[in-house]
Amino acid sequence: MDKLRYFVEKQAFGVCTLLGEKMNISASSIRLYFIYTSFLTLGSPVVLYLIMAFWMEMNKHLRRHAHPTIWEL
């Protein structure tokens, strides 16, 4: 069970962690609410989660090109 938890926390885009940091709520409670709402609404929050993950990756990509390192020049 710990291996699964480690994988989810480190590899699942970090959307819940970022939301928790922005709203001063623990990431585990956000994950729990996300799981509950996914079951109650038959998985529709998964689409929102994927959109947020895509948006976070695009922001990282755009920031990287705005401030390139010496190796990228």
Side-chain angles (χ1 to χ4, degrees), residues 7 11 13 21 28 36-37 41-42 48 52 63 67 71:
F7 174 76
Q11 302 295 328
F13 306 114
E21 289 174 359
S28 61
Y36 288 154
T37 57
T41 60
L42 301 174
L48 179 64
M52 292 172 60
R63 270 192 224 129
H67 304 289
W71 304 109

Side-chain angles (χ1 to χ4, degrees), residues 6 10 13-14 17 20 27 31-32 36 44-45 53-56 64 66 70:
Y6 175 77
K10 296 297 179 186
F13 306 114
T17 305
R31 285 185 194 104
L32 190 63
Y36 288 154
S44 61
F54 175 75
W55 187 257
M56 286 175 46
R64 201 173 317 146
I70 188 75

Side-chain angles (χ1 to χ4, degrees), residues 15 30 45:
V15 173
I30 291 176

Side-chain angles (χ1 to χ4, degrees), residues 2-29:
D2 288 333
K3 288 181 183 180
L4 178 65
R5 181 178 176 195
Y6 175 77
F7 174 76
V8 170
E9 287 180 357
K10 296 297 179 186
Q11 302 295 328
F13 306 114
V15 173
C16 294
T17 305
L18 182 69
L19 284 174
E21 289 174 359
K22 296 281 184 183
M23 297 188 298
N24 283 338
I25 302 173
S26 69
S28 61
S29 62

Side-chain angles (χ1 to χ4, degrees), residues 31-46 49:
R31 285 185 194 104
L32 190 63
Y33 293 137
F34 176 76
I35 290 169
Y36 288 154
T37 57
S38 294
F39 283 127
L40 292 174
T41 60
L42 301 174
S44 61
V46 173
Y49 185 88

